[in-house]
Amino acid sequence: MQKYTGETPVLVAVDCIIFGFDGWNIKLLLVQRNLDPEKGKWSLMGGFMQPGESPDDAANRVLEHRTGLKNVYMDQFRVFGGPDRDPVERTLSIAYYALIDINKYEKQLNDDHHAEWFLPEEMPELIFDHNEMVKLARRQLMYKAALHPILFQLLPEKFTIPQLQALYEGVYQTKFDDRNFSRKLLSTGLLIKLAEKDKQSSKKGAFYYTLDQSHYEENFESFLNLVPNPNKFFQ
């Protein structure tokens, strides 16, 4: 493996960790690498930042080029700079993560780079330090989800409480008590109950809800109690 000696410039890249929700499962979007080294192996969506380009612009350009996805809001969360993280050149990577509704964006995906959705427990081994990037991005997602109702970005406009519970259980990789979760969720004052029911999952059906945007800012702190003992997930 080539070692960095200080005689060559340090390159700057961006990598995008895209989490999606299909209605019942959290998934991760990966692509097959199309160049050496590690050609044909699975990877996050990454690329080098161009001169005159901001990290945010680079992340959006790379994501659209590698997958076809555009207009996706991404959070920058960490710089990865291990001296041996890239076997070819000394490279810093600015990592971003995003939350999307898979059904909303599915038609944008192109087949040029064989982008595929994977369940976290079925994720293949990734190149370089991408496994570590995914691990830390999931920790960041847990942290933000415990403090703010950001997971609503993964839901369709109308959703059921079982769907939202499945989403939280997928993020935290744990099982929540059905009654307690429903009670805490409804007590936030952020949901509007609709007359329509989803009868695909049971004969009785589950009522649809939508997010009450008008009371979002004043009530979002009520989500602090939705996840029991959130600190245990960050150890």
Side-chain angles (χ1 to χ4, degrees):
M1 181 177 289
Q2 177 181 340
K3 301 291 185 180
Y4 176 64
T5 63
E7 299 174 356
T8 56
V10 177
L11 301 178
V12 179
V14 293
D15 282 292
C16 305
I17 300 102
I18 308 299
F19 296 106
F21 185 63
D22 65 4
W24 291 105
N25 294 292
I26 284 281
K27 294 181 178 181
L28 177 70
L29 186 64
L30 302 173
V31 294
Q32 283 187 297
R33 187 172 170 86
N34 62 355
L35 71 162
D36 291 321
E38 311 284 6
K39 184 175 181 179
K41 293 188 177 180
W42 291 98
S43 163
L44 298 172
M45 286 64 68
F48 292 110
M49 192 165 65
Q50 297 177 351
E53 190 176 44
S54 72
D56 288 0
D57 290 340
N60 282 286
R61 173 184 55 78
V62 165
L63 182 61
E64 182 176 358
H65 173 69
R66 299 299 303 274
T67 67
L69 295 176
K70 53 186 178 181
N71 299 321
V72 173
Y73 174 77
M74 291 185 285
D75 278 322
Q76 181 186 131
F77 76 99
R78 184 164 177 152
V79 174
F80 291 80
D84 296 328
R85 62 170 304 274
D86 188 318
V88 178
E89 298 178 278
R90 177 73 166 100
T91 305
L92 299 178
S93 177
I94 303 172
Y96 287 78
Y97 75 98
L99 313 169
I100 68 172
D101 171 6
I102 290 178
N103 298 316
K104 179 180 177 181
Y105 285 91
E106 190 68 26
K107 292 182 179 179
Q108 286 188 18
L109 287 176
N110 62 46
D111 296 325
D112 294 345
H113 296 276
H114 307 287
E116 290 187 24
W117 292 103
F118 287 87
L119 294 169
E121 60 270 22
E122 298 176 359
M123 184 182 77
E125 188 69 20
L126 305 181
I127 67 168
F128 305 159
D129 55 356
H130 289 192
N131 286 290
E132 182 70 7
M133 289 184 180
V134 172
K135 176 183 176 181
L136 294 179
R138 290 194 68 182
R139 285 172 59 92
Q140 185 69 13
L141 177 60
M142 291 180 189
Y143 176 76
K144 290 198 69 175
L147 300 179
H148 302 281
I150 61 167
L151 295 186
F152 280 99
Q153 298 173 43
L154 289 173
L155 292 166
E157 184 176 349
K158 60 180 183 180
F159 51 86
T160 65
I161 289 179
Q163 280 181 305
L164 186 56
Q165 182 171 340
L167 172 56
Y168 270 84
E169 290 177 346
V171 168
Y172 288 95
Q173 292 293 286
T174 191
K175 175 67 178 175
F176 295 124
D177 179 80
D178 294 349
R179 290 186 178 181
N180 284 340
F181 186 89
S182 178
R183 176 177 53 80
K184 289 181 178 180
L185 185 62
L186 293 175
S187 70
T188 64
L190 281 173
L191 299 186
I192 299 175
K193 187 176 182 179
L194 305 178
E196 184 181 357
K197 278 187 174 184
D198 170 24
K199 295 187 177 181
Q200 294 183 352
S201 56
S202 68
K203 291 183 179 179
K204 184 178 179 181
F207 281 104
Y208 280 112
Y209 290 82
T210 189
L211 180 64
D212 186 356
Q213 298 283 357
S214 64
H215 294 90
Y216 178 89
E217 291 188 3
E218 64 187 73
N219 289 345
F220 82 87
E221 289 187 358
S222 59
F223 266 73
L224 293 175
N225 296 320
L226 185 59
V227 179
N229 303 318
N231 289 335
K232 71 180 181 181
F233 298 105
F234 311 130
Q235 297 175 358

